[in-house]
Amino acid sequence: MFIDKVVVEVRSGKGGDGMIAFLHEKYVAKGGPSGGNGGRGASIIFRANKSINTLFNFRHSKVFIGQDGEKGGTKNKYGRGATDVIVDVPLGTMVFEEKDHHLIADLSTDGETVVVAKGGRGGRGNAAFKSDKNRVPRIAENGLPGETKRLILELKLLADVGLVGLPNAGKSTLLSVVSNANPEIADYPFTTIEPNLGVVNVSKYETFVMADLPGLIEGAHKGKGLGLTFLRHLERCRVIVHVVSMQEEDPYANFKIVQNELKSYGMGIDKRPVIVVASKMDDESLEPKFKEFKKHFKNKVIKLCSLTHQGIDELIENCHELLAVTPSFPIGEIKDDNKVKVYNAYEDNKPIFEVIHEKDHVFRLVGESIERTYSLINISTDEGLMRLINYLRKIDVEKALKEKGAVDGDSVFLCDFEFEYLE
């Protein structure tokens, strides 16, 4: 079964917590802090694999979960980092984040990888906080949480040339003649219900990939027939071969139907180089219809008879010549979340946190920066709790709460931590 679009969930692992520990050795007096750092959580990585040609395996594997990193140990032992989860996907897979449909990656090269959910960093143990001012630190960091995302995977075939036309126009027969592909061929419409790929040999050392897509009908861009499902596979094609059967009553009207569907679909497909092929020219009586048909075009129309191979060499040569001068078309802008952002205190005025008045006498502190800092602080010790309190004072949380109307005794939440506001 050919499946080219799925939704999956990925959950990377949490980093291991840092350890609070002290040396207790017989001959070492006041051995000092020895808590090790936690290990990194597992990341979820997608990898392009040329041996896979469909997203069928994702029908049931909908969730990919990475393991958490191990906690730090005593005697400065680091926690073990979790092994990354590598998920193989077909060449041509585009990865989108579901919530805003921005493009994360376009995996079009064999072996190409992308980290779709980064594992959390391990927290520092108390040995990392030792200093001249604090010889016996009783604080450690928690590991950062992993990421949870819902992703849309769309497979768009890596073909250089795409065959389009109405159902039963002769596309599958053409592909079987020019390549080693074996698509289903019959004398009724919609024999092709999934895309077929074939490698076309131009010479001993030159080839290109041709795709036969299911036949389009009027209204395909709105979901009629099979068109909308498979039109996306044309987005990577640099050259379009429009196959028109001369055995139909009005070949040019059929040509216009398909062209209108390509234009309505968008993505600039209708602007790409087109080679028009008049197929099924098996009967000499169709010659007048062919002459009338080609009057509508400035460029040459290739007369094709797949049974006798008439026009096959000419078609392959024309495709090869067009591919040599036609660049690849961009099909999406990748949002790079892995770039290092440089903050400028004078230009970046984004607040560290925001106070939300949830209901009477209840407030919540939200914001990426304040929540990240809180997740790092281990508040299970008195020193850790004081570290959090000092941080909240430093960023003027009390002032912001007062401006929002907080009064003595109001409850304030920061993630799962609750404290009482006092003026």
Side-chain angles (χ1 to χ4, degrees), residues 81-335:
T83 303
D84 293 334
V85 177
I86 299 179
V87 181
D88 285 329
V89 297
L91 288 183
T93 299
M94 302 185 73
V95 185
F96 298 87
E97 194 157 357
E98 186 184 48
K99 64 180 181 181
D100 55 8
H101 207 265
H102 79 259
L103 179 61
I104 297 175
D106 182 4
L107 300 172
S108 55
T109 305
D110 188 38
E112 184 179 0
T113 61
V114 62
V115 178
V116 293
K118 187 179 294 185
R121 175 176 66 81
R124 292 178 292 174
N126 68 331
F129 291 92
K130 181 181 177 180
S131 67
D132 292 338
K133 294 182 179 180
N134 190 357
R135 299 273 183 160
V136 190
R138 290 181 171 83
I139 57 175
E141 286 181 338
N142 296 324
L144 285 175
E147 298 178 315
T148 298
K149 298 178 181 178
R150 284 180 61 82
L151 305 175
I152 300 172
L153 307 185
E154 286 190 7
L155 174 59
K156 298 180 180 180
L157 295 180
L158 293 173
D160 301 303
V161 177
L163 300 178
V164 300
L166 290 178
N168 210 30
K171 303 184 299 299
S172 297
T173 303
L174 173 58
L175 183 67
S176 68
V177 171
V178 300
S179 72
N180 290 326
N182 294 304
E184 184 175 349
I185 300 171
D187 59 355
Y188 54 84
F190 292 116
T191 53
T192 302
I193 57 175
E194 61 185 47
N196 292 297
L197 290 179
V199 178
V200 181
N201 293 309
V202 180
S203 64
K204 185 177 180 180
Y205 302 104
E206 291 184 285
T207 62
F208 62 83
V209 179
M210 181 177 284
D212 165 30
L213 302 180
L216 303 177
I217 63 172
E218 192 168 4
H221 71 282
K222 296 179 181 178
K224 292 184 179 180
L226 300 173
L228 185 61
T229 305
F230 297 111
L231 271 170
R232 70 170 64 97
H233 297 294
L234 280 174
E235 293 177 22
R236 295 189 190 274
C237 296
R238 291 184 286 151
V239 174
I240 306 297
V241 173
H242 195 144
V243 183
V244 185
S245 171
M246 291 296 104
Q247 294 181 359
E248 301 297 327
E249 183 176 349
D250 191 342
Y252 185 68
N254 292 345
F255 171 85
K256 295 296 293 182
I257 289 173
V258 175
Q259 283 298 106
N260 289 335
E261 292 306 314
L262 298 182
K263 185 176 182 180
S264 299
Y265 178 76
M267 300 299 294
I269 292 177
D270 62 311
K271 301 292 193 299
R272 301 184 187 186
V274 176
I275 299 174
V276 180
V277 171
S279 68
K280 299 189 177 183
M281 288 295 296
D282 310 90
D283 192 341
E284 292 183 0
S285 63
L286 297 174
E287 192 66 30
K289 187 181 289 186
F290 168 72
K291 290 180 178 178
E292 185 64 29
F293 174 73
K294 70 178 184 179
K295 288 180 181 179
H296 297 280
F297 303 94
K298 294 180 181 179
N299 296 328
K300 184 177 181 180
V301 177
I302 298 176
K303 185 193 301 184
L304 191 71
C305 178
S306 297
L307 295 177
T308 62
H309 291 196
Q310 178 186 0
I312 295 296
D313 290 341
E314 183 181 1
L315 173 61
I316 293 175
E317 184 180 345
N318 283 13
C319 288
H320 181 241
E321 290 175 354
L322 274 179
L323 289 172
V325 296
T326 305
S328 299
F329 293 88
I331 58 176
E333 183 178 351
I334 297 175
K335 179 180 177 181

Side-chain angles (χ1 to χ4, degrees), residues 389-406:
I389 292 172
N390 290 334
Y391 169 72
L392 296 179
R393 285 174 178 167
K394 182 179 179 181
I395 62 175
D396 289 331
V397 166
E398 291 180 2
K399 180 181 178 181
L401 287 168
K402 187 174 182 178
E403 290 175 353
K404 278 288 186 177

